[in-house]
Amino acid sequence: MSKEFKPENFQVGIIGLGLMGSSIAACMLMAGHPVVGVELLPDAMEAGAHRVRNHFKLAAEKGLIQGKAETYLKNFSVSGDLEALKNSQLVIESIKEDKQLKSEIFQILDGIVGKDTLITTNTSAIPITALQQFVSNPGRFFGLHWMEPAYTTRFLEVICGENSDPEKAQFLYNLGDLWQKETVLVKKDLPGFIANRLMYAMYREAMYLVDGDYATVEDVDRACRNVAGYFLPMMGVFRWMDFTGIGSYREVMKDLFPTLNNDAAPGKVINEIVDAGGKGIFNGHGFYEYTPEEREIWQELYNEFSYEIRELTLKYPADIIHKKLEEKKALQASGLPKGNQDKKD
């Protein structure tokens, strides 16, 4: 991305303004892009626009934006027609996980936008290679995998398909800095990409422990919160192994790997819940039961947590060692002992 790049001249189109699409739209607006949101379900158009406005209301309360929300929202428009995206330089599709529906939209979109417009999908599992065949010039087609809410979380995966242009992938990767992400580049297409492959391995083992009556749902969650949840935001898995003794991990792996669950199908507990109509917090029935009041409180708590964890991860970014080394070198060059750097004058 060149130094001359100006987000205000780089229009972003969002297809789908549901839970994820609306927060992606907020992220793009906060980064300075003009945004055109397209909601193909007429009854959902106003609800989608309302979600975006609510994101800015909360962002303003938390100090995530400078100035008033209206300053950003004036660059946001909503339409029910894909033709509204004709001047976009980047389009992010964020509709439900339906390959057939996505392919139909991409084929229509391909005839609307410019030949160099970057086209991306916010899929969690559909192979990028399988979708990029539906556009001309498939080198400009990528996956962009976000975490909800997209405007506060630091996660973003840029996923290449077999025909994706590496230079365009790097451009999107660099844009992640503008969007305040610690971007991950997935160089080769594979099911689930990186984050979901890591997470679903953990989900599978968690379900195995409950299905086998080794522990309760509550205790598995407690263990996860106080082990993985304790170090992952700062270090990730590889640095944690470095930090705590890589050799011992290899020895444990030799004994433990053969005992880990490797089932190819979901476990009995989740099957029973879903087959009975459980949708988790969305209808109050999941691994836990939720009253309407509890559902509302959990959403409020997650919103609060997402801002607090954002502040913590900003305090310990991926390149924190480089920053600390530079600070140390600058302090040594000044000839001042630590704590006295402010007394130079």
Side-chain angles (χ1 to χ4, degrees):
M1 189 168 57
S2 69
K3 294 181 179 180
E4 292 74 27
F5 178 85
K6 295 182 179 180
E8 62 268 25
N9 298 328
F10 191 84
Q11 179 175 293
V12 177
I14 312 287
I15 304 175
L17 293 174
L19 183 68
M20 182 60 79
S22 62
S23 68
I24 295 173
C27 178
M28 297 296 99
L29 289 165
M30 290 178 191
H33 300 290
V35 174
V36 178
V38 171
E39 179 52 73
L40 298 174
L41 299 173
D43 294 341
M45 192 182 306
E46 179 51 39
H50 183 67
R51 284 192 198 93
V52 176
R53 292 193 292 270
N54 276 346
H55 287 320
F56 271 92
K57 179 181 178 182
L58 190 56
E61 292 174 1
K62 297 295 183 180
L64 201 62
I65 58 174
Q66 302 296 320
K68 296 182 178 179
E70 290 75 18
T71 305
Y72 298 86
L73 290 169
K74 70 180 181 181
N75 294 318
F76 178 55
S77 61
V78 182
S79 173
D81 189 349
L82 289 171
E83 287 283 348
L85 303 177
K86 64 182 179 180
N87 294 322
S88 296
Q89 283 83 44
L90 167 65
V91 175
I92 303 169
E93 168 271 314
S94 186
I95 63 172
K96 66 178 183 178
E97 287 285 83
D98 184 321
K99 181 182 175 182
Q100 181 61 35
L101 182 57
K102 288 177 185 285
S103 67
E104 292 172 1
I105 286 177
F106 289 135
Q107 290 178 78
I108 297 170
L109 182 68
D110 190 57
I112 295 173
V113 298
K115 65 178 182 178
D116 294 323
T117 296
L118 293 166
I119 300 176
T120 69
T121 177
N122 177 40
T123 181
S124 298
I126 301 174
I128 304 308
T129 303
L131 292 175
Q132 64 184 176
Q133 64 179 309
F134 297 108
V135 302
S136 60
N137 187 12
R140 42 92 176 252
F141 190 99
F142 299 88
L144 283 182
H145 186 206
W146 309 73
M147 183 177 175
E148 175 65 20
Y151 66 98
T152 60
T153 53
R154 301 279 287 159
F155 171 76
L156 177 66
E157 283 180 321
V158 177
I159 308 109
C160 296
E162 288 182 5
N163 300 305
S164 298
D165 183 333
E167 289 187 6
K168 291 181 172 61
Q170 188 64 46
F171 174 78
L172 285 171
Y173 182 87
N174 293 341
L175 268 178
D177 288 340
L178 177 65
W179 300 339
Q180 298 188 46
K181 307 301 176 194
E182 289 194 2
T183 313
V184 173
L185 178 61
V186 186
K187 297 183 289 183
K188 295 192 293 185
D189 200 5
L190 80 167
F193 320 131
I194 295 176
N196 273 342
R197 291 182 75 89
L198 291 169
M199 291 305 303
Y200 276 80
M202 184 163 61
Y203 296 153
R204 181 172 61 185
E205 192 64 28
M207 289 189 297
Y208 169 76
L209 293 171
V210 174
D211 286 342
D213 200 28
Y214 295 100
T216 64
V217 165
E218 292 85 353
D219 281 341
V220 171
D221 274 352
R222 287 190 188 103
C224 185
R225 289 180 63 210
N226 291 293
V227 181
Y230 192 77
F231 70 82
L232 280 177
M234 181 179 182
M235 292 190 178
V237 291
F238 288 109
R239 194 177 298 279
W240 178 249
M241 286 189 285
D242 275 349
F243 196 72
T244 52
I246 187 172
S248 62
Y249 281 94
R250 189 181 71 163
E251 292 306 309
V252 173
M253 287 173 183
K254 291 177 183 178
D255 294 330
L256 187 58
F257 276 8
T259 74
L260 295 177
N261 181 43
N262 198 32
D263 287 347
K268 64 179 182 180
V269 172
I270 194 171
N271 283 334
E272 290 172 356
I273 293 170
V274 176
D275 289 345
K279 298 181 180 179
I281 201 167
F282 298 102
N283 68 352
H285 305 291
F287 294 107
Y288 299 87
E289 296 292 311
Y290 307 87
T291 65
E293 293 79 13
E294 287 172 336
R295 288 157 58 189
E296 183 177 347
I297 291 171
W298 268 110
Q299 187 59 60
E300 291 174 356
L301 288 173
Y302 181 70
N303 288 340
E304 187 71 23
F305 173 81
S306 69
Y307 283 95
E308 291 186 12
I309 198 69
R310 172 189 170 83
E311 291 302 311
L312 184 61
T313 54
L314 285 171
K315 186 177 178 180
Y316 298 98
D319 61 346
I320 187 171
I321 295 299
H322 300 292
K323 293 180 182 296
K324 291 296 182 182
L325 284 173
E326 290 301 316
E327 290 176 4
K328 187 174 183 179
K329 289 178 182 177
L331 184 59
Q332 290 173 339
S334 71
L336 292 172
K338 186 176 181 180
N340 289 346
Q341 57 265 45
D342 294 330
K343 300 178 181 179
K344 191 188 315 185
D345 295 334

